[in-house]
Amino acid sequence: MLDSSGNLYGATAYGGTGSCSGPVESGCGLVYELSPVSGGAWREKIIKGFTGIGTSIVNPNPVVLDASGNVYGTSLFGGLQVCNDDLETCGTIYELTPASTGAWTLTGLYAFRDNSNGFFPYAGLTIDSAGNIYGTTGAGGDMSCGSTGGCGVVFRIVP
């Protein structure tokens, strides 16, 4: 996602400095900012690295920015609810808010928890002009579609 200053924001599903327990062995992922510098090069800044299943974000998906510069994303795993026999957590929606000091504050907005609300969000989000956040999950929802994990859902969360 590109901001009005030309900075590029993204997420990696793996990597980072933390050691992640559970299904991910090589770091839980991170959110980064790339800023253009002279000569066509880019400077990387890690906004947030994620560490650990259960109370954190694990395997973040693509991110989106709102008009105020806040970063929003989903994570495939994370949150507090266990979704299957492998003890994997269901996924989350989160917000990263920049401070004047350059630090970012992480806020969990929603933790997926069961079939009716969907779980395991795989894609990025869309934000409308009213601040509503829309996205999809890869599992949950209608369990009669022939998939053992459900068909997935389209969701909206309202500020």
Side-chain angles (χ1 to χ4, degrees):
M1 186 77 194
L2 198 61
D3 71 10
S4 61
S5 299
N7 299 309
L8 180 67
Y9 294 83
T12 65
Y14 301 101
T17 58
S19 62
C20 192
S21 61
V24 182
E25 303 280 326
S26 59
C28 297
L30 53 88
V31 175
Y32 62 87
E33 172 188 45
L34 296 176
S35 301
V37 295
S38 62
W42 293 82
R43 182 186 75 242
E44 178 188 39
K45 175 184 177 184
I46 305 301
I47 293 174
K48 183 70 176 173
F50 303 115
T51 59
I53 287 185
T55 59
S56 186
I57 309 300
V58 180
N59 298 128
N61 295 306
V63 296
V64 64
L65 284 91
D66 69 10
S68 299
N70 300 310
V71 174
Y72 295 87
T74 61
S75 65
L76 180 58
F77 301 106
L80 299 175
Q81 184 65 40
V82 173
C83 286
N84 61 29
D85 294 338
D86 294 331
L87 301 179
E88 295 170 333
T89 48
C90 299
T92 60
I93 303 170
Y94 63 90
E95 174 186 23
L96 290 163
T97 306
S100 59
T101 62
W104 291 76
T105 301
L106 174 66
T107 303
L109 300 178
Y110 184 79
F112 293 94
R113 58 185 178 278
D114 58 34
N115 288 337
S116 63
N117 293 318
F119 55 95
F120 299 154
Y122 282 95
L125 300 169
T126 299
I127 302 175
D128 68 16
S129 60
N132 299 310
I133 299 173
Y134 299 85
T136 61
T137 67
D142 184 356
M143 300 301 284
S144 66
C145 68
S147 169
T148 58
C151 302
V153 301
V154 175
F155 62 83
R156 176 182 71 169
I157 63 170
V158 179

